[in-house]
Amino acid sequence: MAKGSRCKVKADGSCPDAADVFRLMLCAGSWRASLGVGSVPERCGVSALRHEVAACLCGGTDGCGDEAAGAAAWIRAEEEALCARVFSGGRDGVVSARGQELSLMADGREVLRGRADAVFLDEQGSRVVVCAYDWAAGRDADGCGDGWRLAALAVLLARELGYVPQVYAAVLRPFAVEREVAPVFFCPADVVAAREAILDVLVRAVREDVPCDVSEAACRGCRARGVCRAFFRGVEEWSVADVERVWQELPPSRKLAAFRLARLAEGVAARIDACCEAELKAGGEIPGLALSPGRQLFSVADASEAFSLLSARFPRHVSAVSFARCCRVSVSDLERLVHAARREEDASASVKGSRVLLRDLLAPCSEVRFSRGSLRECGGAGAAPGCPF
């Protein structure tokens, strides 16, 4: 692995990608089903911002916008912190590369490829730090497949280096709401075990007769979900069924499958709603559908100014205490405020620590309530496989 910056992506679909391994563990047929299907388009502006951040990392922040420069600075800081934890001298003497394209060969052909967004290798070559970037914004970040994605990158790095090192890997999400980084360590034995497990699922994934397994975890973000026959068969079966009567006759395993299918159908319905709304807003016509006008919403943008105006008009009735009773405090906003204050005091302050501190400080004036329970999948048959390495 040579030192330098190679910011080029190749993803032609000729073999699975490291980011696909987790989904293949859940549904081995997902890769073959997605062949010929275009990738899921990124939301407007995300692609351009992602490339701007990559440019900042490769060539400096000159000419970059504030958001991209801030994301690049955060990524660099996290990479420095990882290197400080792994290498005794930090980045001194460490060979680095960006945008490293990696591949795994088996039986004379390429069976897996992946992109290591940042790689740091010590002088002895015994330890490697590898980072993968995830550009999901807001609360869209989903880290349930991080373990397998990083395990795949560790396997690919071992093939690139020609030997099996100790690998410290992490996924960095600069635009997520909670940006805490959870590094994963793979000893050489872990990398070997991961290689065997990944090769096993890849052998099944390329078979023409491999079936698709419908589940929310497997189908979330899958490019083939719009053409998957297994999903369509399931939806059609339930759409014409007497659900209450059929439900009593189902074994527990089928009930779990029905639950997963319902979750997927909700997601499909939401995407269809969004497409219809976008088309009507753009001036298009869909016979039988109309977009109703939005309601006017009134809200207070500045609470302190609102208190000043109301207390001046009704001084005997609008006191600070009575006004405060009318206000709702956003705990999430307070968490961000407290965390920003703690980061000024200590750059290593964690989001979790800020959350705990806020709750301790506000214990005398807060209350704890429990919401209604919601359905969720737990361990057992068909549960999403965590990375065991």
Side-chain angles (χ1 to χ4, degrees):
M1 183 184 71
K3 183 177 180 179
S5 299
R6 290 190 282 169
C7 297
K8 179 177 138 184
V9 182
K10 56 176 185 177
D12 54 13
S14 58
C15 69
D17 185 87
D20 299 327
V21 169
F22 175 67
R23 188 171 295 111
L24 292 177
M25 292 289 176
L26 292 163
C27 174
S30 61
W31 177 72
R32 180 166 288 279
S34 66
L35 292 177
V37 179
S39 60
V40 178
E42 292 183 294
R43 289 181 299 177
C44 181
V46 172
S47 179
L49 184 59
R50 172 169 62 88
H51 289 295
E52 191 176 353
V53 174
C56 290
L57 291 168
C58 291
T61 59
D62 293 341
C64 293
D66 292 341
E67 189 174 10
W74 179 83
I75 289 173
R76 284 200 190 94
E78 293 297 335
E79 291 172 350
E80 292 285 349
L82 284 170
C83 288
R85 291 175 59 177
V86 176
F87 308 126
S88 58
R91 290 283 299 277
D92 294 339
V94 172
V95 176
S96 63
R98 292 198 181 275
Q100 192 79 14
E101 302 292 348
L102 307 168
S103 64
L104 178 65
M105 307 296 291
D107 298 327
R109 62 185 180 85
E110 187 181 38
V111 294
L112 182 71
R113 67 173 47 157
R115 174 189 173 95
D117 291 298
V119 181
F120 305 94
L121 179 68
D122 67 0
E123 291 178 329
Q124 293 76 29
S126 59
R127 295 185 177 187
V128 178
V129 171
V130 57
C131 298
Y133 305 153
D134 187 333
W135 307 104
R139 297 191 180 276
D140 294 339
D142 178 10
C144 63
D146 285 356
W148 280 111
R149 178 183 180 182
L150 296 175
L153 286 178
V155 171
L156 291 169
L157 274 172
R159 192 262 176 181
E160 174 80 7
L161 295 170
Y163 60 89
V164 183
Q166 295 180 352
V167 180
Y168 298 77
V171 176
L172 306 183
R173 295 184 171 88
F175 300 124
V177 170
E178 296 183 1
R179 302 193 296 185
E180 277 194 283
V181 178
V184 182
F185 168 67
F186 300 97
C187 69
D190 292 334
V191 178
V192 173
R195 184 180 186 276
E196 295 304 314
I198 291 171
L199 282 175
D200 179 65
V201 75
L202 291 176
V203 169
R204 290 186 285 120
V206 298
R207 285 171 39 198
E208 293 187 5
D209 60 342
V210 62
C212 288
D213 299 313
V214 176
S215 73
E216 184 189 10
C219 301
R220 185 189 308 135
C222 179
R223 291 181 300 168
R225 61 189 174 190
V227 297
C228 180
R229 294 181 178 179
F231 172 66
F232 289 143
R233 283 196 301 268
V235 171
E236 183 179 15
E237 176 185 342
W238 280 101
S239 65
V240 298
D242 181 346
V243 175
E244 287 74 14
R245 180 183 61 78
V246 174
W247 189 262
Q248 302 303 324
E249 303 171 0
L250 289 179
S253 60
R254 289 289 307 280
K255 291 178 179 178
L256 175 60
F259 168 79
R260 291 171 170 170
L261 189 64
R263 287 291 184 270
L264 285 172
E266 288 176 359
V268 172
R271 289 193 295 274
I272 291 175
D273 284 351
C275 290
C276 291
E277 183 178 340
E279 185 167 340
L280 293 173
K281 280 185 175 179
E285 291 186 11
I286 303 177
L289 281 183
L291 190 63
S292 62
R295 292 183 301 147
Q296 187 180 54
L297 302 176
F298 179 82
S299 62
V300 174
D302 189 333
S304 60
E305 179 67 13
F307 172 67
S308 298
L309 295 172
L310 290 173
S311 61
R313 177 64 177 82
F314 305 105
R316 291 180 52 247
H317 295 85
V318 182
S319 64
V321 174
S322 63
F323 183 83
R325 290 196 187 102
C326 302
C327 299
R328 295 181 64 89
V329 177
S330 169
V331 176
S332 297
D333 289 342
L334 287 181
E335 287 176 354
R336 283 189 282 270
L337 181 65
V338 169
H339 185 59
R342 291 186 69 226
R343 287 298 293 264
E344 287 189 5
E345 298 174 351
D346 180 6
S348 63
S350 67
V351 174
K352 182 178 179 180
S354 299
R355 185 182 297 118
V356 172
L357 176 61
L358 173 67
R359 280 154 175 71
D360 290 342
L361 290 174
L362 299 186
C365 60
S366 61
E367 63 177 353
V368 177
R369 294 181 295 173
F370 290 92
S371 63
R372 193 182 76 179
S374 59
L375 292 170
R376 65 177 179 85
E377 291 196 42
C378 53
C387 183
F389 311 108

